[in-house]
Amino acid sequence: MTDASIDSYFPPPSFVFNLQHPRSHNITISFQDRFHTVSDMTTGVSHDLTTQSSPEKLLRIGTGCCGSVWADADSTKDNGTPSCIKREDGDPHRSIANEHFIHQLVVQSLQLNPQHARNFRIPLCRGFLNKDDEDWSLVLPRLPPGSKPCNALLGEKVQPLSEDVRKLLVSKFARGGSDQDAIINDKKNEHCLIRPYLGRRKKDWENTNRSTFFSLRNFPLNLDRMIELGLDVQSYVKVMAEGLAFLHWVARIDANDVEFVLARSRSTSNLHPYSPFDTTIFGPHSMWIIDFDCCNPVTMDENGAAAAAECFWRNDPYYPRPWSTDTSDEELWCAFKGHYLEKRLQLPMFAAYLEKLANAGGPEVTYEAGCHCGYIGLSVALSPPLPKHEVINCNCSICRRGGYLLVYPAYEKVTWHNDSDKRVSRYQFNTKARDHMFCPKCGASIGIDFARVWPEAPRYGISVRQFNNIDLDSLQYIKLDGLHTAEPGVDLSGKEIDTKVDEAPASSS
């Protein structure tokens, strides 16, 4: 039996960079056995931005240091994933080419690790136009007169919040004497994205001597305003911590000057319709991470972590801050830090584990499996085959008591015999997000159904103890300290059922 420490599956301590300038092609980053390749920059402008789609002028929906952002004026009503174009017509020291490069790295990281895309959103990256691209002839007629070709990023437009939300924000926070109807009817304010400033209080905002001008574009929602609206602040803290941990430890970028915004959820069913937030006040909405033009790849060794920390402090006050004299602020910081550190432990190991298997090569071998009595039967296809295909040995309460030794095949790699997937008994506890499957006849633990955890790319965790004719001592194992790294980080054994009433305690989650 061969054991590997979880530490050996953290990202390697150093990168080997072979980076040309972001404007050049064929950019490759090599991390020892781990490879990200960003191919030639994709070109070709999305059809909904050209004169072939409409002769109407594009509407400027945003302006930042890097440049201006344009989209079809009617795209606000679009229920799909409309496009936008971000032009490099701002600060000459900002680079759209770098943003495209980093954006591709982040999107590719999500594609390789779709299980991490459940709670936050990254806009789709649809291409890059350089200033000499012929497609500008189809776009310039829809821009203001005098506009010239330049480098531009083509991406998914982050859809604004609803008119009801805009009316709520205006009624609550517009200064006395403001013409609320005029604010609501201003076309510019239709593109309402909210910046959740978890690290800023109302008094901090007032001390900045901001203008009394009221705009719903990039609306600053400080912590006091969130509380006044009755929003579940803790849920935003958790998702923001998860997103930052993903950028640092999976995508491996410093997250310099990224923005977090609250906006409408994607409505297309196959593109993450799930929203982790209460919909009572803002309707279905998600936390999006945007604007990667100032970001750089980092190693996340001691030097890289220091660089990422510097970017953390330099960014706008999205994140909770430590050392506050306010007890509730300090609690938010502790929650943010706890979620970040938890994901910092979980993300790299599992992401690297799946990625290493994907890159390992080797034939696909199908193993027959089932329970002790024969009531449950299934086949599991693994590539690479055992023993090269390493097995997770976790010490959390459910894995220990269920005797799990898990591999994680995709749904399509598991074939259930004689409707066995409908015959297994299922048990849930704690968050109720996973189904633990066992035979209702003999009690053998089959594994875990992660469909609700990873809806975009569902997987099972199947215990190799149920594989036929397998020598467990010949396998290679990775030890995972799930007891202390998986939320809530305590042993929950014996706490799910109140034996006096034979049901879950009222406090069970």
Side-chain angles (χ1 to χ4, degrees):
M1 179 186 299
T2 303
D3 286 337
S5 164
I6 184 175
D7 293 332
S8 67
Y9 282 84
F10 276 97
S14 61
F15 286 17
V16 179
F17 281 103
N18 177 23
L19 282 180
Q20 303 175 52
H21 191 276
R23 288 183 175 83
S24 63
H25 292 183
N26 295 323
I27 304 170
T28 301
I29 303 177
S30 171
F31 319 165
Q32 297 177 6
D33 295 331
R34 187 169 182 266
F35 297 95
H36 279 304
T37 300
V38 180
S39 59
D40 289 355
M41 289 185 174
T42 51
T43 59
V45 67
S46 299
H47 178 71
D48 57 346
L49 299 175
T50 69
T51 52
Q52 295 174 344
S53 173
S54 170
E56 299 297 324
K57 292 292 185 181
L58 296 176
L59 183 67
R60 184 166 63 183
I61 61 173
T63 303
C65 292
C66 195
S68 56
V69 184
W70 303 78
D72 193 298
D74 291 333
S75 62
T76 300
K77 304 179 180 66
D78 197 317
N79 289 323
T81 57
S83 299
C84 66
I85 183 168
K86 185 174 183 179
R87 288 169 48 82
E88 190 179 76
D89 53 9
D91 187 333
H93 298 100
R94 298 290 187 101
S95 170
I96 285 286
N98 183 67
E99 177 161 10
H100 177 252
F101 168 59
I102 297 294
H103 197 160
Q104 281 190 305
L105 282 181
V106 174
V107 170
Q108 185 186 59
S109 296
L110 275 181
Q111 290 171 342
L112 289 171
N113 306 281
Q115 67 274 15
H116 303 317
R118 182 170 172 79
N119 289 329
F120 59 88
R121 301 288 173 264
I122 305 293
L124 302 175
C125 184
R126 289 179 167 148
F128 177 84
L129 285 180
N130 62 50
K131 61 183 180 181
D132 299 319
D133 201 296
E134 294 180 356
D135 281 339
W136 277 114
S137 63
L138 301 174
V139 179
L140 288 178
R142 300 193 66 187
L143 293 172
S147 298
K148 297 180 180 180
C150 62
N151 288 342
L153 175 69
L154 306 171
E156 176 186 2
K157 178 192 173 189
V158 178
Q159 290 287 57
L161 293 165
S162 69
E163 182 178 357
D164 288 340
V165 175
R166 300 199 301 273
K167 289 180 178 179
L168 173 65
L169 296 176
V170 171
S171 66
K172 282 282 190 180
F173 304 122
R175 292 179 180 270
S178 299
D179 187 339
Q180 296 190 8
D181 289 337
I183 295 173
I184 291 295
N185 294 325
D186 187 339
K187 293 289 290 184
K188 295 179 181 178
N189 285 328
E190 286 185 3
H191 300 275
C192 174
L193 306 180
I194 290 178
R195 293 183 177 185
Y197 285 151
L198 296 167
R200 173 171 281 164
R201 288 282 186 176
K202 182 178 180 180
K203 63 180 184 300
D204 302 324
W205 182 256
E206 291 174 343
N207 290 340
T208 60
N209 294 319
R210 296 275 177 157
S211 167
T212 58
F213 174 72
F214 191 90
S215 173
L216 291 174
R217 284 191 181 180
N218 295 320
F219 184 78
L221 196 67
N222 60 49
L223 194 52
D224 290 312
R225 285 176 166 178
M226 293 184 191
I227 295 171
E228 183 178 345
L229 289 171
L231 297 172
D232 180 7
V233 175
Q234 286 288 345
S235 65
Y236 296 115
V237 167
K238 181 176 182 179
V239 173
M240 191 176 291
E242 290 178 4
L244 185 63
F246 174 84
L247 295 180
H248 285 163
W249 298 102
V250 179
R252 264 35 99 68
I253 64 171
D254 60 12
N256 186 30
D257 206 34
V258 297
E259 293 189 14
F260 294 80
V261 296
L262 303 181
R264 195 191 316 169
S265 299
R266 284 192 184 111
S267 57
T268 307
S269 60
N270 64 342
L271 286 174
H272 323 312
Y274 167 83
S275 174
F277 305 125
D278 180 13
T279 61
T280 306
I281 299 170
F282 283 168
H285 65 289
S286 299
M287 182 175 289
W288 296 74
I289 307 176
I290 61 175
D291 288 355
F292 302 103
D293 59 288
C294 291
C295 296
N296 293 289
V298 288
T299 58
M300 295 314 289
D301 56 8
E302 185 174 347
N303 292 332
E310 182 179 346
C311 294
F312 172 90
W313 293 111
R314 191 166 55 229
N315 202 355
D316 288 346
Y318 297 105
Y319 319 115
R321 304 298 198 204
W323 309 311
S324 173
T325 57
D326 188 306
T327 302
S328 60
D329 287 354
E330 189 65 21
E331 289 174 351
L332 279 185
W333 164 251
C334 290
F336 179 87
K337 180 178 71 172
H339 289 308
Y340 176 89
L341 292 176
E342 177 190 340
K343 289 300 176 182
R344 177 253 185 269
L345 289 172
Q346 294 175 351
L347 292 178
M349 191 287 296
F350 201 72
Y353 168 72
L354 292 180
E355 191 170 343
K356 184 177 181 181
L357 292 177
N359 294 332
E364 181 176 275
V365 174
T366 298
Y367 299 88
E368 294 300 319
C371 67
H372 184 268
C373 70
Y375 186 65
I376 303 298
L378 63 155
S379 302
V380 180
L382 297 178
S383 176
L386 300 168
K388 190 175 181 180
H389 196 113
E390 292 156 315
V391 178
I392 298 292
N393 181 5
C394 175
N395 67 351
C396 76
S397 62
I398 191 68
C399 287
R400 187 179 76 251
R401 291 179 182 269
Y404 289 148
L405 296 172
L406 296 174
V407 290
Y408 293 83
Y411 252 44
E412 62 269 19
K413 299 299 182 182
V414 176
T415 302
W416 296 90
H417 304 324
N418 301 318
D419 292 328
S420 287
D421 55 330
K422 298 179 177 62
R423 298 197 296 195
V424 293
S425 291
R426 295 171 182 259
Y427 167 67
Q428 302 170 353
F429 75 106
N430 192 24
T431 62
K432 308 292 194 292
R434 303 162 179 82
D435 288 351
H436 297 269
M437 303 177 294
F438 61 95
C439 174
K441 304 291 187 181
C442 65
S445 297
I446 305 300
I448 309 171
D449 186 346
F450 288 99
R452 290 194 302 281
V453 178
W454 305 324
E456 296 80 23
R459 290 180 178 271
Y460 292 109
I462 301 295
S463 180
V464 296
R465 289 188 185 276
Q466 311 310 333
F467 283 24
N468 299 343
N469 305 315
I470 288 293
D471 178 7
L472 295 178
D473 289 337
S474 70
L475 303 184
Q476 299 183 63
Y477 296 92
I478 301 169
K479 288 185 176 180
L480 174 62
D481 185 15
L483 178 62
H484 300 103
T485 61
E487 191 176 358
V490 295
D491 190 336
L492 293 177
S493 303
K495 297 180 173 60
E496 189 64 19
I497 297 294
D498 185 339
T499 56
K500 293 181 180 179
V501 295
D502 196 30
E503 61 184 30
S507 60
S508 179
S509 61

